[in-house]
Amino acid sequence: MSEDISAQVAAAPSPFTVTGFRWLMVYRIATMLSYQIVAVTVGWHIYSLTRDPWQLGLIGLAEVVPFFCVAPFAGHLVDTLPRRKLGMAACVLLGINAIILTLIASGHITHKGTWPIYAAVMVGGIGRAFLGPIYNALFGRVLTRPQFPKGASLGSVIFQLGLVLGPATGGLIVGHFGKATAYATSTVFVALAIFALSVMKVTEPVQTQQRGPVFQSIGEGLKFVFGHQILLAALALDMFAVLFGGAISLAPAFIKDVLHAGPEALGVLRGAPALGSVCVALWLSRHPLDKNAGKIMLFAVAGFGACMVGFGLSKVLWLSVLFLLISGMFDGVSVILRSTVLQLATPDDMRGRVSSVNSVFISSSNELGAFYAGSMAKLLGLVPAVVLGGFVTMGIVTATATLAPRLRKLNMRELH
């Protein structure tokens, strides 16, 4: 039976032959470009005003607090309301975030201190709570199950491409045209994302029964994730690894105080991990992983931690970029495997809620990781904070391999 499934996956037509999938990819990269341009610009903006790495950590905190408050309800809404319209509403919030920041940077909104910037970031955090669940829910409607592994890889390519082009574009615009222009450019990509959703042809799931109370619905999603050992272990591994090992939020401080470069170099530094992920995702889109997937995932996360140690110790720009590039290759393997597990293991009528739980894990690793990194840099210094985080990440891999044997022994065919 497993050979039949593998044959079906290999014989499935390319996801790009599906019109709905192509528009979904436009939505994915447009939202990523919008968010990443804002992220690199806000980091440069805040550090230019404060020269305090802890303030960089507060950017992550400002985004994750509203995200956590909204994400569980976002999943319920995605499984209840029309998904395309809900996605367009979320994009509008991203646009409001970018417009407010444009007005701040151009001087049309005057302020004392940095609080209006953090307030704008909070608005974006609410919008971001819907992006992942919307994408995963629509993904499951536009593709057939045999197309899921290739679709997950291609989706990761598009996602990581946004992570490459977004910071690079933001850094170039800030360096040559200023922060206000960079923020304004973000709104253009928000408009493109809204257009993509508006023209996408996709069927909405049929509600065969009345949805229960909202908290009961949210609880069903949590129960499913925490009752699925492989999915829970994969999400937890990624969360804790990036929570302690993610150092990219400190890139503005490294650029100014360690590598002594400008905003263009910041864009390159922030885009390097995603470039590595793109390379891996392109390869995996043609060679999906099946056997020993769990062991490969653990090895990839350990490699990510080792690269963070190297990045923290580097004092040369090209070497720092190289370490981040390789870290992105390792991270790309982990992201694709986790995404494939998520799609294959989740029933269609629970995709929104399960994806919201996944989004909480991811944002825990990214935004809370940014706050953790900024706090540790304030206490220990930039370099010790990053090096320590890399070693902690490798320790987490060892613990996961011991505590989650089903993940360690995972072959993807088990989930088909």
Side-chain angles (χ1 to χ4, degrees):
M1 182 65 181
S2 62
E3 292 182 359
D4 292 340
I5 292 171
S6 299
Q8 291 175 18
V9 171
S14 169
F16 275 125
T17 62
V18 181
T19 302
F21 182 78
R22 294 198 296 268
W23 281 118
L24 184 62
M25 293 301 101
V26 173
Y27 158 79
R28 189 161 174 79
I29 194 170
T31 52
M32 282 305 305
L33 288 171
S34 175
Y35 169 72
Q36 288 298 318
I37 290 173
V38 167
V40 72
T41 308
V42 164
W44 187 261
H45 196 171
I46 289 289
Y47 200 71
S48 296
L49 292 173
T50 66
R51 299 303 290 261
D52 185 353
W54 189 64
Q55 296 282 342
L56 295 175
L58 289 180
I59 297 174
L61 189 63
E63 186 167 11
V64 80
V65 169
F67 184 99
F68 275 163
C69 294
V70 173
F73 301 96
H76 171 79
L77 293 174
V78 168
D79 284 338
T80 305
L81 301 178
R83 292 163 175 178
R84 291 189 307 115
K85 293 181 180 179
L86 198 59
M88 286 186 269
C91 289
V92 168
L93 290 176
L94 292 185
I96 292 172
N97 169 35
I99 291 170
I100 294 173
L101 290 169
T102 302
L103 295 175
I104 292 173
S106 62
H108 289 86
I109 294 180
T110 58
H111 60 94
K112 292 183 179 180
T114 56
W115 71 265
I117 301 175
Y118 293 123
V121 170
M122 293 179 73
V123 175
I126 296 173
R128 280 197 65 220
F130 291 88
L131 298 184
I134 290 291
Y135 169 78
N136 284 302
L138 292 175
F139 181 100
R141 301 300 297 179
V142 299
L143 296 181
T144 62
R145 287 183 68 84
Q147 292 176 306
F148 282 3
K150 291 181 180 178
S153 294
L154 290 171
S156 181
V157 170
I158 298 299
F159 179 84
Q160 299 297 342
L161 191 61
L163 289 178
V164 174
L165 297 178
T169 301
L172 287 172
I173 295 175
V174 171
H176 292 281
F177 303 103
K179 297 183 289 292
T181 303
Y183 290 134
T185 302
S186 175
T187 63
V188 176
F189 289 110
V190 168
L192 177 60
I194 293 174
F195 175 77
L197 289 176
S198 70
V199 299
M200 182 187 300
K201 303 297 183 182
V202 62
T203 59
E204 296 287 350
V206 178
Q207 299 292 342
T208 57
Q209 58 184 11
Q210 185 67 31
R211 185 76 64 194
V214 59
F215 287 104
Q216 176 184 334
S217 176
I218 294 170
E220 290 171 357
L222 290 169
K223 183 179 180 180
F224 178 84
V225 172
F226 282 87
H228 198 292
Q229 186 186 116
I230 294 175
L231 179 58
L232 178 62
L235 295 180
L237 174 64
D238 183 86
M239 180 186 75
F240 287 112
V242 180
L243 173 64
F244 294 108
I248 198 64
S249 63
L250 298 176
F254 270 89
I255 284 291
K256 281 183 173 289
D257 299 338
V258 177
L259 303 173
H260 307 293
E264 297 88 351
L266 173 61
V268 173
L269 205 65
R270 287 199 62 130
L275 180 59
S277 294
V278 167
C279 296
V280 167
L282 285 171
W283 191 86
L284 290 178
S285 68
R286 299 184 64 86
H287 306 86
L289 293 174
D290 184 4
K291 295 182 180 180
N292 300 316
K295 292 179 181 177
I296 292 172
M297 185 177 187
L298 291 166
F299 173 79
V301 176
F304 173 82
C307 287
M308 289 301 100
V309 174
F311 169 74
L313 296 174
S314 171
K315 291 180 170 45
V316 181
L317 179 60
W318 71 264
L319 187 59
S320 297
V321 171
L322 179 61
F323 276 120
L324 289 180
L325 179 73
I326 299 173
S327 77
M329 297 175 73
F330 285 123
D331 186 51
V333 174
S334 174
V335 167
I336 290 171
L337 289 175
R338 188 191 70 242
S339 298
T340 305
V341 169
L342 180 70
Q343 291 293 346
L344 291 174
T346 306
D348 187 70
D349 64 344
M350 296 188 69
R351 289 188 185 278
R353 285 165 288 169
V354 173
S355 183
S356 285
V357 177
N358 173 61
S359 296
V360 169
F361 275 85
I362 300 305
S363 286
S364 295
S365 61
N366 290 326
E367 278 69 40
L368 281 182
F371 179 68
Y372 166 81
S375 300
M376 293 300 291
K378 183 76 170 180
L379 294 173
L380 304 177
L382 281 174
V383 172
V386 173
V387 172
L388 176 63
F391 281 115
V392 171
T393 298
M394 288 186 279
I396 288 169
V397 172
T398 302
T400 303
T402 303
L403 297 174
R406 291 189 63 189
L407 178 65
R408 187 179 71 246
K409 300 174 182 177
L410 173 66
N411 293 321
M412 281 299 181
R413 68 185 64 182
E414 298 173 10
L415 299 175
H416 285 278

